[in-house]
Every structure is written in structure tokens, then in C-alpha cells.
Amino acid sequence: MLLLLPLGGQDLTEGQQLLQDGRYHDAVKYYSTILQSYPGNTAVLNGLAEGQHRSGDPMTAIKNYKKSLSIDPQQPDTWISMGNIQYYHQQYPEGEFSYREAVRLEPGNPRAHNNLASVLKEQQKLDQAILHFEKAFELDPQYALACRNLGDIYLRQGKSDFAVQWMKTAVGLDPDNMRGQYWLGKAFYLSGEFDNAKDQYLRILVGKPDLHSVHHDLGLAYFGMRNYGPALDHAKQAIRRNHAIYTYYLSLSRIYASLHNEIMAMAVLDSALNYDRSLAAVWIAKGDIHKTAERYEDALNDYKIASSYNLDDWKGYYKQGVVLYYLGRLDSAQSVLEAAAEKHPHQSGIHHFLGLVHLGKNDLAEAQLYLTIASEKDSVNGDIWFHLGQAYKHLKQFEQARASLENAIGIDSTHAEALYALGQIYTKLDQKEKSQKVLKKFRVVADFEKAEKKLKKQLSLKPSDNDIRRELALLYESRKDFLSAAEIWQQSYFLGDKGATAELERVKEKMK
Amino acid sequence: MRVIGLFFLNILLISFLFSDEFLFKDESESQRLIFTHDHGGSGEKYYVETMGSGVCLLDYDNDKDLDVYFCQGAALPGWDKNIVLENKLFRNDGGRWMDVTADVGVGDTSYSIGCTCGDVDNDGDTDLYITNFGTDIFYRNNGDGTFTNVTDAAGIKNQSWGSSAAFFDMDNDGLLDLYVTNYVEYSLDKNPWCGDKRTNRRAYCDPDFFTGAEDHLFHNLGNWVFKDVSVSSGIAAQKGKGLGVIPADFDQDDDLDLYVANDKVMNHYYINDGQGSFEENALFTGLGFNENGRAEAGMGVDIGDVNGDGWLDLFVTNFSGESNTIYINSRQGFFSDETFLAGLGQPSLKYLGFGTKLLDLDYDGWLDLFVVNGHVIDNINYFNKDYTHAQRKQVFLNNQNGTFMELSPDQIGDASHLSVGRGAAFGDLDNDGDVDVVIANNNSAANLLIRTGTPNRNWIGFSLEGVQSNQDAIGSRVVIETDGLKQIKYVSTAGSYLAANDKRLLFGLNNYPTAEKITIDWPSGTSDEFTDLKANQYYQIIEGGSISAIHY
């Protein structure tokens, strides 16, 4: 809001009108002229600054705002205006300062709090951002934008329940705001409420059927519900409407991969690469499919290409290292993993696989060091604890091995390898009964995993074979893994097994 | 002084690196041991094509040198060569080999996989058992240079896909019994298409596609009558995908237990109660899986005391991408996979191991290791650039500290040549006191690797003959003690892959001119002891204490 200071009897209405009409260059001329006569007039300076900002000269605008504020620092709106320019040009510390001044001068200004919170959010100062967004809402309970912003922060923090709560409030306050509806859908999706997310997105599409991002997210919501038909349909529609967004291809590929349709999953990624071969993330997704199918040479090739297009990204190097490890080329694996570590020293997976490489090379001290670091960075990863246990075992530190392996089992009670290794350690420690108990459990788990792997392999060769799916579903049921069984029955239904509906209902009953 | 010491150390190291004591020469052409395995395939990738074949060493004519028996494939649908495929017996004529198959009557034309041999009727000559894809064949040695097919008469009926087999006396009654491993249930008319569908590259299938088949245990009742005791013994309760087998007294309770290497399912360890019953206990004794709890491929096997503690350890060859596995006997009833600690892990990852032997190559009294390799997928390089179909053999020296060191290709001569190795039989073919190797290569010519290098150390060899015990003395334990070093070996022809080895025992004596004390524990329960036997000599020992030097 501009202050209209009387200038020797002339007001600035004309200038303001020019700004409102969008005639920013004219507005700049107007204010520049007046400024010559009234160089110390803050209203003129503010008007000029706004005109300059709107006409694409933000830096000069900031200069004039600063001039205005040097004359009269008690202008909360001016601080906000300057802060807005700084925010949009990613000068976040400067923007924070400006907004803080606005809040200091006008603590009851909800917009000031909202904007301050926004710039704090961009600097990942999320807790402080939450405080100011909440303050903005407290000051103005109709402030839908503040609610949406709060919901977004909770989304970033993974607190999906809170995100849903705030997004719902925002939508309640501003039901016509499509962005709010969309973000509510996202919040539902991230909190696992796929059905609600689906409803949200469908609601949006009624009014705006061409929104590609909504089609994409709706596809993911259906996928979350394992409703494969509409999932595929909407994921494809997203691509049809905008073929330039690579994440859409990744999502569609993922849906096909979950149906064990590797050929289609790969074809989708290849079509993304037809548009742009430098999409590193797509090469990585291809590599992941190859790796899952144990086609490690192909996976290695894909990851190498990904790295060549994105030299600074640790992921490509890390994944190369993993595949090289599986290929038994330990020296090469070590080399690329070290390159990945340079780019991202805090990634637990890199340390984990460096530990494995050293374990394979019998460099036990190095192995133990890397695996310990990995366990510190990711203390809930059962595999890391298992491998650390193996390192201790090789070092003949059996008590430490026992502790690490017990950690692994504590995280994942069906970790077959850890169960076996722990059984061996108990035997070494002369705890025969414990050993036998653990080894018996291992056998059950290992037999299941072998049967599961065999069926999945068969499925990868014949993705439409519902007899194999049936066997797999029953295998999961035998292990009381009804969630996995339900997913397989849903796949069967999608692929034409009408009897799968009844089986699905039966399994859902068991899940209750 | 330190500089001089280092200097001599370097000289020793350099001399070791350039030493020719481990050289082997392939004399198959020069000595006319010409055998080419034909897997009978025509591009359909029948699973049976890629697993064979085997080879046995036996002195069929009792002329004091080992002869060689090769297993041959047979025509599969679509095979159209104009040749006869039959198993072959070659007589050793001292540096020359003669195909005597037709005269002797052992030219089985079934699809043969492996073989084993032993004196089944204790009449002083070696009989022969052939495992087939189809009905196995049992040949009785008539003692006159010929054999008779006594399969039906003997009551032996194994119609599954037989692989390795072993003769051993399971109840110490003086008669050799027979264990036959069977691989998978497979028929030619149900041969799945496996490989990369995207590029239409066909490959041999993975064993996961097939169900395992039961092994068989045949009890020798005497007079060429065998009884199938698979069920009553407890063997039939387990169904694996057997490829390798070795009997040995793992728990030192004076009866022979059994270890069966299974392909990608848990290996089996059958503990003999001495009364004809076997209890499978691989899981709780650490012998079923590798240290990560993974079932590995499991093909060739051998046993030996690799760490000199007097207890038998076990070595198994596995697939590429897996390491071979060495299980160290803890002496408390369980075993530990110490492959990577032993330095045997990483060197074996690129290779696919089959026939194998633990043997003292440098005569220092410690067991070294010989591994024959060759991939099963002939177009493997497409799937993994590091792997090849034909692969070299590997030789590892025991460092005497729980670790092994691989010899470089230069050091092992023709053993470094590439081949698609399968069955490997180990024995002293030229009776010169060192172990030679005959290798049956898949769909290609066999190798005759004669050890030309000689370690500059002493050795001693034994050929045992049972009287109360089975005449082959299979299962006898021989212990040699010299200057505090104790070596233990068992008489057996079993081990490796699809093969039968020389049953004589060779011990390295380092630089000692005599073996101070030799103890023989016979399967009958009796023992004989000898002292101060002169080195560099074979001895014939007959149960009851009779000993004489053998002059070949």
C-alpha cells in the first residue's frame, strides 16, 4: 500500500492508478519526474520502486526502497514490499531481515508474519517458519494462504497428519483455490489416504480436466490404492498433456514395474530418453530395473551414462559402485564409491558398500570402520548391522558380532542372513539352544524367500500369468503377509482374473 | 645385516616367483589320450548338455598304472553328426594311451554324466559305476581285462539324472556300498526357454526352474547284490539337487559320514550312526550354506585337514559371482565358512568351479588346492563382460597360517590354459610321486595335465589293501607324524566332480628323509603302525602289518 503524502497540494493518485493499470513504465516515468522535485519523499520513492520492480528492474527498485527506508524506517509496508522482491529473487537472508523489520514495526500484521515465515521456510528454518505461519493465522483466521503454507511445511517434514489438517483448513477457507485443493490432495497422498487424495484430484479435474500435474498425482493415488487400470490411465494422460516432465515417465514406469511388466516399464523410460537423452534420473531408473533383474552389466552401463550427464550427483556413482560390487569387481567398486563419498560424505549407503568392498577384500579394519560409520548414519538399517556383524565375526570379536547381529534382527526379525549369522555366532559362543532356535527361524524365512524369488522370477518372464500370481498370493498368505497377498490379488484382477475379487475380499477379511 | 637379510629374502621371493616346480604340461596330444566330449546339443540348450562330463582313474588291468575312463554324451534331438558317441576306456601303456573300449566292453552309449570306481566284490580288481541321464550302469570287472554289465542283476536301479557317486563302506562290514547323487527332475520334452527375451538370446536354464531329485544309497549285501536303503537310511527324506558327494569321517567316530553338494539349495551333511542310518544336519553344523546363509551352486567337493589341527575341513566349488567355499572344522561338531579370511573368496568370484582337490603340491606337509573351472553358459560374456565360457584352472598354495595364495598363470604352465572344465580326476599317472590331473571338458577335448615341475622336497606314498576291511581300504585313516607335524588323510576315490581319483595317498615330507611314524586305522577297527619309512617311495601296506616298497 502506498502512502499518499501530500506534495505541496498534489497527491499521487495518478501514479497509483498507473500502477494498478499495469502501466509500469509510465508509472516509473511519472514518479521519476516527481522525485526530481521531491527527492526525499518516501511515497514517491516507494511508488517509483514498485514501478521499477514491476517493469523488471528489481535491483533498482530495492535501491529506492532502501532510500525510502533510510528516510523513514518506520514503514512496515515498505519493508514488506522490499522483502517480497528479495524473496522472489532468492535473496533470502536479506528478505528475512526486511520482513523481520515489518513484524517488529507491526507485530499484528498477518501478512508480515506470513511472508517472514515463507522466507524462513526457504532457508529450512522450519520450526521458526511454523511459529510465524501460526501467528499469521492467529491474527487472521481467514488467512487461507498461511494455512496452505503451514500444510506445506508439515509435508516437507513428513508430518502428513498435520499437513492434512492445515490443508483442510485452507480449503475450507478458500474452496475455490485450486492450489489449495491440489496441496490437500498431496497431503492426503503422503499420509497414505489414497482414497481421499483421489477424491481431491477428481474434484479438481471436474473444473480443470487438462491439468497434467493433477492427472499425474491422481495416477499415483490410484496406484497407492493398487487400482492399476486408472493408475495407468491417468499417468499416461499426464504424459500426453505434457511430455516434457520426466518425473511423469518415472511414475508410469514404476507402475508397470510393480506389475512385473519390465518390458513396458523400460519402454516408458526409453520414450522419455527419446525426448532428452541427458535425463540422468531416467537412466538411473533404467539401471534400477536392470539391477532388479540381475542384469548387472546393463545396469552398470545405465548408471555410467547417468553419471556422465550429471557429474556432481553422487547417486550415479553410488549405484555404479553397488553393481560393481555385485559383479565382484571390488577395486572398481571401491573407486566409484569413493568418488560418490566425495560428493556426498554423509550418505550411509556409500559407507555401507565401501564397508562391503573392504570386507570382500579382507581389509577387515577398513570394513569395520566404514560399516560403523554407516550404522551411525542409519541406525535403523538391518543390512548395515548385519554386515557390521560379519566384519566383527571375521575379526573374531564375537561378542560385538552378536550385538550387531541382534540389532539387525531387532530391526528386521525376518532378515535371513542375519538370522543365519547369529545362529553361527551363538554356536561359537557355546549358546547351543539359542543357536538352534535362531537357525530354525532362518530356515523358515529362507525357504519362503526362495519360493518368493522363484515365483517373482517366473513372473518377470511372464508378467501376465495369473497362475503364477495366484501361487505368489497364496505364498504370502501362508506367511500371514495379507497386505502383500492383497496387492497380488489386485494385480490379478487387473490382468483379467475375475475370481481374484473374491480372493481379495477373503484376504481383506483376514486383515481385519 | 638387515640389508643383507632383505637381499636374501628378495632372492627367495624372486626365485619363488620364477620357480617351475608347479608346472603342468598338457600331454593329451603327445601321449595320444584323445577324447572329445560331445554334449549332443543342437542349439536347443537342453539343460543336460552343460553339466558333464566325468572321468575316472582306475587300474582296470592291475598292471600298476592308472587307466582313464571318460564319460560321453549322447545324441539329443536335433543332433546330426555321423559319429558314434560312447564312453571310452584308455589303457595306460606308460606315456602312451590305448583306446581299449571295444575290447573291454565298457562303451556305454547312454547319456553319461559321471563315474566312480571301487572293488565292490573284494576280488582284487576295480569295478566301475556310471551315472547317466537315464539308467545308470554298473560294470563288474571280470579280472581278465573285460567287464560285464551287472546293473539289473545287482539290483541297482537309478533312472534319474545321476551325477557324482561314491563307493564307501557305510557300516564297516568290509563291503563297499554306493551313494549316488541325483540332480534334478528333467525331461527333454520339457525344456524351458531361458535367457534374454528382449534380444532373443537363449541360455541354459537356472536350476531354480527344476525340482530336485532324490539321491540313492545302495547297501552292498555281498555276491553282487545291492539293496536300495535310501528310505530306511534316512537319505530319501531329503531332496536336493546333488552334484558332488564325498564320504568322510568328519566327526571322528570311526564311521563314514556323507557330504552332498547341492545346486542352489542347502547342501546336505549326513551323519552316520554306524548302524545304517544317516541324520541330515547341515543347518546346525554350518555346512548347509555360506556364511551369509545363502545356498550356493555346489558342484565339486573335497576334504582335507588344511590347518593341521587333525580334523577334516571341507572345500566346495561354486558358481561365478559366488566364491568357492572352505568350511573349517571347529572340532566341536560345527564348521565355519572362512573363505574370505582364507583368501579364497575374491579370486574365485569370476570363475565357475567344478572338479577340485586338496593336495600337497609343494610337499611342505600342508594341503594346497587345485580348482578346475569352466562356465555353464556358453554365451555368458553377453551377460557379464568379466566372465568367459572357457576358464583357466586355479592353484592355491597353503600359507600355513589359515590363508592361501594363488599361483600366477605363469607358474602353473598348461594348467593356465582355458577350457570348459568339468570332471577332474587326480592321480599319479606316471608313478613319479606327484599328482597329475585328467580333466573332462564339456563339449571339447580332454586335458592330460602331467606335473613336470618337481618340488625340491621329499614325499612318501601309500597304497593300502584291506583284508578284514574292504580290499580297497576305502575309509582307512593314515596319520603321518614327522618332527611335530601331523598329517591326516583318508583313503578314498571320491571327491572332485563326477570323478574318481587315485586311491593312493601322497604325503609331503618337506626336507625330512623319512616319515617318523605312520599309523593306519582300518575301517575294521584294527590299526597298524610303522616307523622311519624312507622318503620318495611308494609303499604297499596290507591290513595286518605287512609293508613293502612298490617299484613301478
Side-chain angles (χ1 to χ4, degrees):
Chain A
M1 189 166 71
L2 294 174
L3 288 174
L4 301 171
L5 295 175
L7 301 167
Q10 183 183 5
D11 68 29
L12 299 170
T13 313
E14 188 185 337
Q16 199 177 14
Q17 193 61 52
L18 286 169
L19 287 168
Q20 280 175 1
D21 291 345
R23 293 166 61 187
Y24 303 123
H25 289 286
D26 293 335
V28 167
K29 276 184 198 159
Y30 172 83
Y31 283 111
S32 300
T33 307
I34 298 187
L35 196 64
Q36 284 167 16
S37 309
Y38 297 95
N41 188 296
T42 58
V44 175
L45 283 163
N46 293 340
L48 176 60
E50 185 170 347
Q52 285 163 333
H53 170 220
R54 299 284 180 199
S55 58
D57 188 2
M59 296 304 128
T60 314
I62 288 175
K63 269 192 197 148
N64 283 315
Y65 277 132
K66 281 184 176 172
K67 213 183 263 182
S68 168
L69 286 165
S70 68
I71 296 165
D72 177 9
Q74 310 295 313
Q75 300 180 75
D77 282 346
T78 307
W79 282 110
I80 290 174
S81 296
M82 186 166 71
N84 288 345
I85 299 175
Q86 288 160 334
Y87 174 86
Y88 286 119
H89 288 87
Q90 293 168 6
Q91 294 173 7
Y92 297 131
E94 294 84 352
E96 180 183 341
F97 181 83
S98 300
Y99 290 136
R100 282 199 186 278
E101 285 300 299
V103 165
R104 183 182 63 79
L105 291 169
E106 211 170 45
N109 183 334
R111 194 166 140 253
H113 283 282
N114 177 76
N115 291 11
L116 173 57
S118 295
V119 78
L120 288 167
K121 185 177 81 170
E122 294 305 325
Q123 296 175 90
Q124 300 304 314
K125 296 176 184 176
L126 299 182
D127 289 338
Q128 290 182 59
I130 287 172
L131 285 172
H132 285 282
F133 280 131
E134 284 177 344
K135 187 69 181 171
F137 180 68
E138 184 194 311
L139 291 169
D140 179 3
Q142 302 300 310
Y143 203 169
L145 176 61
C147 297
R148 280 201 297 277
N149 284 331
L150 259 171
D152 182 47
I153 286 194
Y154 285 121
L155 276 178
R156 291 185 191 205
Q157 289 186 321
K159 293 176 182 171
S160 50
D161 289 346
F162 285 123
V164 166
Q165 176 196 323
W166 282 105
M167 294 298 193
K168 271 184 176 170
T169 306
V171 165
L173 290 170
D174 187 5
D176 294 330
N177 186 303
M178 285 294 114
R179 184 170 293 203
Q181 296 279 7
Y182 179 62
W183 284 17
L184 177 57
K186 270 189 154 0
F188 277 135
Y189 177 81
L190 284 164
S191 70
E193 294 179 55
F194 302 124
D195 207 19
N196 287 333
K198 173 209 60 161
D199 289 339
Q200 269 310 111
Y201 295 134
L202 284 172
R203 212 167 280 140
I204 297 172
L205 286 175
V206 165
K208 301 228 177 223
D210 289 326
L211 291 175
H212 50 80
S213 59
V214 178
H215 278 287
H216 170 259
D217 289 6
L218 177 56
L220 287 183
Y222 275 119
F223 179 49
M225 296 161 66
R226 293 300 184 259
N227 195 338
Y228 293 98
L232 286 169
D233 180 45
H234 285 282
K236 287 177 191 170
Q237 287 202 50
I239 292 175
R240 234 174 270 136
R241 283 167 169 75
N242 188 338
H243 63 73
I245 299 184
Y246 76 88
T247 49
Y248 294 174
Y249 296 89
L250 293 179
S251 297
L252 179 57
S253 175
R254 214 172 103 215
I255 299 171
Y256 277 121
S258 76
L259 286 163
H260 300 277
N261 193 335
E262 188 201 293
I263 291 176
M264 280 308 298
M266 205 56 99
V268 166
L269 296 174
D270 285 336
S271 64
L273 292 173
N274 281 339
Y275 286 111
D276 183 355
R277 292 198 73 69
S278 71
L279 293 169
V282 175
W283 284 108
I284 286 186
K286 277 183 62 116
D288 290 347
I289 292 175
H290 280 135
K291 181 169 147 272
T292 303
E294 295 179 358
R295 286 201 296 277
Y296 296 127
E297 287 288 358
D298 291 334
L300 181 62
N301 196 46
D302 296 331
Y303 294 142
K304 276 185 179 171
I305 295 175
S307 294
S308 72
Y309 284 124
N310 193 347
L311 294 169
D312 293 329
D313 188 18
W314 62 275
K315 273 195 222 85
Y317 294 98
Y318 164 63
K319 284 178 179 272
Q320 283 180 60
V322 169
V323 165
L324 285 164
Y325 170 78
Y326 289 138
L327 285 168
R329 295 177 210 162
L330 299 184
D331 289 334
S332 303
Q334 182 175 343
S335 188
V336 285
L337 286 168
E338 284 170 354
E342 270 173 35
K343 295 169 196 313
H344 196 334
H346 303 296
Q347 221 288 331
S348 64
I350 298 172
H351 290 279
H352 181 195
F353 271 85
L354 274 168
L356 287 179
V357 163
H358 284 288
L359 201 55
K361 292 166 97 175
N362 225 10
D363 299 333
L364 298 178
E366 290 286 301
Q368 188 244 316
L369 179 68
Y370 278 113
L371 289 166
T372 302
I373 294 171
S375 71
E376 285 162 3
K377 291 183 186 304
D378 185 0
S379 62
V380 294
N381 186 320
D383 280 344
I384 293 175
W385 286 107
F386 161 63
H387 289 123
L388 181 56
Q390 292 293 66
Y392 279 127
K393 186 185 134 206
H394 286 201
L395 286 163
K396 303 206 187 302
Q397 294 173 22
F398 299 124
E399 278 296 342
Q400 286 94 320
R402 179 195 56 77
S404 297
L405 292 167
E406 284 176 352
N407 276 345
I409 304 297
I411 292 163
D412 178 3
S413 62
T414 62
H415 193 301
E417 293 164 317
L419 284 166
Y420 186 78
L422 186 56
Q424 299 270 294
I425 291 293
Y426 281 142
T427 303
K428 275 208 187 301
L429 294 172
D430 207 21
Q431 294 172 4
K432 197 174 174 189
E433 261 185 56
K434 276 184 168 178
S435 170
Q436 295 217 336
K437 188 176 170 190
V438 156
L439 286 172
K440 278 180 185 163
K441 183 163 185 186
F442 156 77
R443 193 71 208 268
V444 170
V445 171
D447 284 348
F448 166 82
E449 284 183 359
K450 192 168 175 69
E452 182 193 29
K453 188 175 175 187
K454 183 179 171 185
L455 288 169
K456 281 185 168 179
K457 198 162 184 175
Q458 289 175 359
L459 211 46
S460 70
L461 292 172
K462 294 181 181 178
S464 313
D465 192 325
N466 277 334
D467 287 336
I468 300 173
R469 275 204 170 73
R470 180 167 280 269
E471 253 190 271
L472 185 57
L474 292 172
L475 181 71
Y476 284 128
E477 283 188 49
S478 71
R479 202 195 187 191
K480 302 203 187 326
D481 182 358
F482 299 118
L483 202 57
S484 300
E487 185 172 328
I488 300 300
W489 286 122
Q490 277 176 299
Q491 287 184 12
S492 287
Y493 174 70
F494 168 66
L495 290 166
D497 179 359
K498 298 294 177 247
T501 320
E503 303 286 3
L504 182 57
E505 290 312 311
R506 180 179 57 75
V507 167
K508 279 180 178 173
E509 276 304 308
K510 286 184 179 176
M511 283 164 72
K512 287 176 189 165
Chain B
M1 271 305 282
R2 193 174 169 192
V3 170
I4 295 170
L6 278 172
F7 174 74
F8 279 114
L9 190 63
N10 283 336
I11 293 287
L12 271 170
L13 185 61
I14 291 167
S15 65
F16 170 75
L17 288 171
F18 286 99
S19 159
D20 60 0
E21 70 178 279
F22 305 107
L23 290 179
F24 287 83
K25 191 164 187 329
D26 189 349
E27 301 277 21
S28 52
E29 290 270 343
S30 58
Q31 292 191 14
R32 308 301 299 156
L33 182 67
I34 309 289
F35 175 80
T36 301
H37 176 253
D38 192 315
H39 63 29
S42 58
E44 286 299 310
K45 306 277 190 199
Y46 290 108
Y47 192 36
V48 69
E49 291 170 19
T50 195
M51 301 306 286
S53 64
V55 55
C56 283
L57 300 181
L58 70 161
D59 182 5
Y60 89 98
D61 52 0
N62 277 335
D63 66 347
K64 291 198 199 164
D65 54 30
L66 289 167
D67 311 299
V68 178
Y69 187 82
F70 286 107
C71 297
Q72 179 61 284
L76 296 173
W79 185 86
D80 59 4
K81 294 179 196 170
N82 196 16
I83 50 174
V84 173
L85 294 178
E86 60 175 4
N87 296 349
K88 289 284 190 192
L89 177 63
F90 289 86
R91 189 182 68 214
N92 187 345
D93 284 345
R96 292 291 284 184
W97 298 83
M98 186 66 72
D99 179 356
V100 295
T101 312
D103 299 331
V104 170
V106 289
D108 182 34
T109 55
S110 311
Y111 200 110
S112 289
I113 305 294
C115 55
T116 191
C117 41
D119 187 358
V120 168
D121 50 2
N122 290 329
D123 64 352
D125 50 55
T126 309
D127 310 297
L128 184 58
Y129 185 89
I130 318 299
T131 57
N132 287 325
F133 174 60
T135 307
D136 293 353
I137 301 289
F138 207 163
Y139 288 114
R140 185 189 68 207
N141 190 329
N142 299 320
D144 59 1
T146 66
F147 287 77
T148 302
N149 182 340
V150 296
T151 315
D152 290 337
I156 297 283
K157 198 172 185 176
N158 187 41
Q159 293 171 319
S160 304
W161 178 344
S163 47
S164 292
F167 281 113
F168 74 115
D169 188 352
M170 72 181 197
D171 51 0
N172 290 333
D173 66 353
L175 293 171
L176 290 178
D177 309 298
L178 174 66
Y179 189 96
V180 181
T181 59
N182 286 311
Y183 188 34
V184 296
E185 288 171 12
Y186 170 76
S187 63
L188 296 176
D189 58 354
K190 284 183 189 148
N191 189 45
W193 196 103
C194 300
D196 187 350
K197 281 230 185 270
R198 300 168 308 151
T199 54
N200 207 32
R201 273 179 214 260
R202 194 168 187 180
Y204 291 105
C205 288
D206 187 283
D208 285 345
F209 276 87
F210 309 104
T211 317
E214 267 170 37
D215 296 343
H216 281 282
L217 176 60
F218 297 101
H219 186 206
N220 188 345
L221 300 178
N223 295 318
W224 280 99
V225 175
F226 284 78
K227 183 179 175 194
D228 189 338
V229 295
S230 310
V231 174
S232 59
S233 66
I235 298 291
Q238 313 294 329
K239 242 192 202 181
K241 296 180 186 177
L243 286 174
V245 62
I246 192 157
D249 187 4
F250 291 103
D251 50 6
Q252 294 198 9
D253 65 348
D254 298 328
D255 53 45
L256 291 175
D257 313 299
L258 286 162
Y259 185 83
V260 178
N262 289 311
D263 195 354
K264 282 188 90 177
V265 295
M266 187 183 77
N267 297 323
H268 290 146
Y269 171 44
Y270 293 105
I271 300 176
N272 190 345
D273 72 350
Q275 309 297 322
S277 288
F278 290 82
E279 186 193 342
E280 200 293 301
N281 205 15
L283 176 61
F284 297 114
T285 54
L287 284 173
F289 304 92
N290 72 4
E291 66 165 347
N292 294 322
R294 297 225 171 266
E296 297 175 302
M299 279 80 75
V301 292
D302 200 19
I303 47 126
D305 178 14
V306 302
N307 54 1
D309 66 353
W311 290 75
L312 288 176
D313 312 300
L314 181 78
F315 181 76
V316 184
T317 56
N318 292 314
F319 212 78
S320 54
E322 298 169 346
S323 68
N324 296 328
T325 308
I326 190 150
Y327 295 98
I328 300 297
N329 195 328
S330 72
R331 296 164 276 157
Q332 288 153 359
F334 68 90
F335 293 73
S336 292
D337 171 0
E338 301 201 1
T339 310
F340 281 86
L341 282 173
L344 292 172
Q346 197 184 350
S348 61
L349 289 173
K350 266 172 41 171
Y351 298 96
L352 204 162
F354 278 98
T356 187
K357 188 97 186 101
L358 287 162
L359 71 173
D360 188 355
L361 281 167
D362 54 0
Y363 295 162
D364 62 354
W366 292 77
L367 290 175
D368 311 302
L369 179 62
F370 194 110
V371 182
V372 170
N373 297 308
H375 215 281
V376 293
I377 299 174
D378 51 358
N379 52 356
I380 184 60
N381 193 248
Y382 164 76
F383 298 98
N384 188 319
K385 306 231 178 313
D386 265 353
Y387 298 163
T388 55
H389 188 214
Q391 300 179 345
R392 65 180 179 81
K393 296 81 180 146
Q394 291 176 287
V395 178
F396 298 87
L397 285 193
N398 193 327
N399 292 324
Q400 306 181 14
N401 61 359
T403 67
F404 288 77
M405 181 187 70
E406 186 179 1
L407 295 180
S408 70
D410 292 340
Q411 292 175 285
I412 59 177
D414 290 353
S416 65
H417 292 179
L418 307 182
S419 68
V420 188
R422 295 288 184 265
F426 295 79
D428 187 358
L429 293 167
D430 47 11
N431 295 327
D432 61 352
D434 57 44
V435 175
D436 312 299
V437 194
V438 182
I439 301 171
N441 293 309
N442 179 263
N443 208 41
S444 45
N447 300 130
L448 171 61
L449 293 180
I450 299 294
R451 178 94 182 262
T452 56
T454 316
N456 202 12
R457 294 194 183 96
N458 297 324
W459 59 274
I460 192 166
F462 300 100
S463 175
L464 269 57
E465 184 181 319
V467 175
Q468 252 184 286
S469 308
N470 67 85
Q471 189 148 348
D472 276 341
I474 284 173
S476 302
R477 177 166 59 219
V478 178
V479 181
I480 288 206
E481 292 170 78
T482 298
D483 195 39
L485 179 65
K486 199 171 178 179
Q487 299 180 63
I488 296 176
K489 291 191 181 186
Y490 285 78
V491 176
S492 179
T493 60
S496 189
Y497 174 70
L498 305 181
N501 301 307
D502 184 355
K503 67 182 183 72
R504 291 175 296 178
L505 299 178
L506 272 169
F507 290 85
L509 290 178
N510 220 330
N511 295 316
Y512 295 100
T514 59
E516 285 172 11
K517 181 176 163 190
I518 301 94
T519 309
I520 319 277
D521 295 318
W522 301 91
S524 63
T526 60
S527 295
D528 291 314
E529 203 173 282
F530 306 92
T531 54
D532 297 321
L533 291 180
K534 210 169 111 189
N536 304 322
Q537 176 74 57
Y538 274 105
Y539 294 89
Q540 164 100 353
I541 298 180
I542 300 176
E543 187 177 2
S546 161
I547 183 168
S548 55
I550 305 177
H551 301 288
Y552 288 109

